[in-house]
Amino acid sequence: MRIHCEWGLQGLLNAQSFSDLYVIVDILSFSTSVEIATERGAIVFPCLPGEQNGIELAQAKKALLTQKRGQGYSLSPASLQKIPSGTKLVLPSPNGATLSLATGRIPTLAGCFRNAKAVAEYAMQIGQSITLIAAGERWQEGSLRFGIEDWLGAGAIISYLKGMHSVEAKLAQNAFEMAQSHLIEWLKECQSGQELSQKGFETDVELASALNISNNVPLLIGDAYYSTTDLKKRQM
């Protein structure tokens, strides 16, 4: 088993030739939101950013479209804690959703701190060449911004994966192991965490920093994420 770690869309595209499984890691906040929503039985449709994209997809899927943070269901993990089972939700995102839609036919999971161990265990059941994609953030002009939270999140999942690790994967794991006892404070102190806290969404950072509190593994099937637990129940 081979374990790789890459950054952003270009890293994902470059890894297509050797990957048979992707794990999208966008801690603040796409992957965390997908984990929380699907754990509660919702179906999440990743969507490219842009109001019209979201409206059209929501109409096509007869789904709810997330709003801005603080206005109903949104990219804020806190807003999804009580989402009803069976809800269809369109979730636009410039990072995690965009990456999810670029994986093509390669099986794709959404990973975060909350389900790090569960995602790793599931990944080892279905993949032999696993690539963690740290989503990163965006600068105002659109270029990729290093997101330490995604680097650490990828490292958390990698720490439970057995196999031959690339240098990038080893370094991500080492970074996580160094940060593990400081996750909450470091996520609050990193640039992305500070931005959310300053806008009044510190709870989102706290929810995102919780380690291994969920066994839920969101799996991208077609154009939507489903909980693998729900899928097993439907097959029984």
Side-chain angles (χ1 to χ4, degrees):
M1 187 170 294
R2 297 181 181 274
I3 317 300
H4 308 270
C5 186
E6 301 291 343
W7 275 100
L9 181 59
Q10 193 57 54
L12 183 151
L13 296 176
N14 289 344
Q16 284 181 336
S17 62
F18 56 79
S19 300
D20 61 14
L21 178 66
Y22 284 127
V23 181
I24 305 300
V25 185
D26 185 357
I27 300 297
L28 298 173
S29 301
F30 179 81
S31 296
T32 301
S33 294
V34 171
E35 189 286 310
I36 289 177
T38 57
E39 195 275 335
R40 285 147 183 78
I43 300 167
V44 178
F45 294 87
C47 179
L48 295 175
E51 182 178 5
Q52 193 59 35
N53 290 330
I55 291 173
E56 291 178 359
L57 183 58
Q59 290 175 343
K61 300 298 180 181
K62 298 181 179 180
L64 298 177
L65 174 60
T66 52
Q67 306 300 311
K68 294 181 179 180
R69 269 188 163 93
Q71 300 178 10
Y73 299 136
S74 71
L75 197 55
S76 163
S79 73
L80 303 171
Q81 292 183 96
K82 295 183 179 180
I83 192 169
S85 178
T87 301
K88 294 181 179 180
L89 189 69
V90 171
L91 188 60
S93 160
N95 302 304
T98 300
L99 292 170
S100 299
L101 294 171
T103 60
R105 296 183 178 180
I106 297 175
T108 301
L109 309 176
C112 59
F113 287 119
R114 298 172 64 87
N115 64 357
K117 184 176 181 180
V119 164
E121 291 176 346
Y122 189 87
M124 288 187 290
Q125 295 176 24
I126 65 173
Q128 288 295 318
S129 183
I130 303 167
T131 300
L132 284 290
I133 303 295
E137 288 292 343
R138 297 284 173 181
W139 293 110
Q140 289 187 343
E141 90 286 356
S143 63
L144 182 67
R145 186 182 90 192
F146 182 83
I148 188 65
E149 67 278 8
D150 299 334
W151 181 242
L152 297 177
I157 298 168
I158 291 167
S159 71
Y160 298 103
L161 291 171
K162 299 177 181 179
M164 297 178 61
H165 293 57
S166 69
V167 172
E168 293 83 1
K170 291 177 182 178
L171 290 174
Q173 178 177 342
N174 289 344
F176 162 71
E177 291 173 349
M178 182 179 67
Q180 184 172 356
S181 60
H182 307 282
L183 280 183
I184 294 179
E185 54 262 47
W186 286 13
L187 258 65
K188 287 183 178 180
E189 291 175 8
C190 75
Q191 187 167 355
S192 300
Q194 288 187 42
E195 290 172 352
L196 287 176
S197 295
Q198 290 167 4
K199 295 176 182 178
F201 297 103
E202 187 172 342
T203 300
D204 287 345
V205 184
E206 294 171 352
L207 288 170
S209 65
L211 181 64
N212 290 330
I213 65 168
S214 173
N215 291 320
N216 176 47
V217 179
L219 172 65
L220 187 64
I221 299 179
D223 55 0
Y225 279 104
Y226 297 79
S227 168
T228 53
T229 301
D230 281 349
L231 293 173
K232 288 180 181 179
K233 290 179 180 178
R234 295 179 186 181
Q235 295 172 356
M236 293 176 66

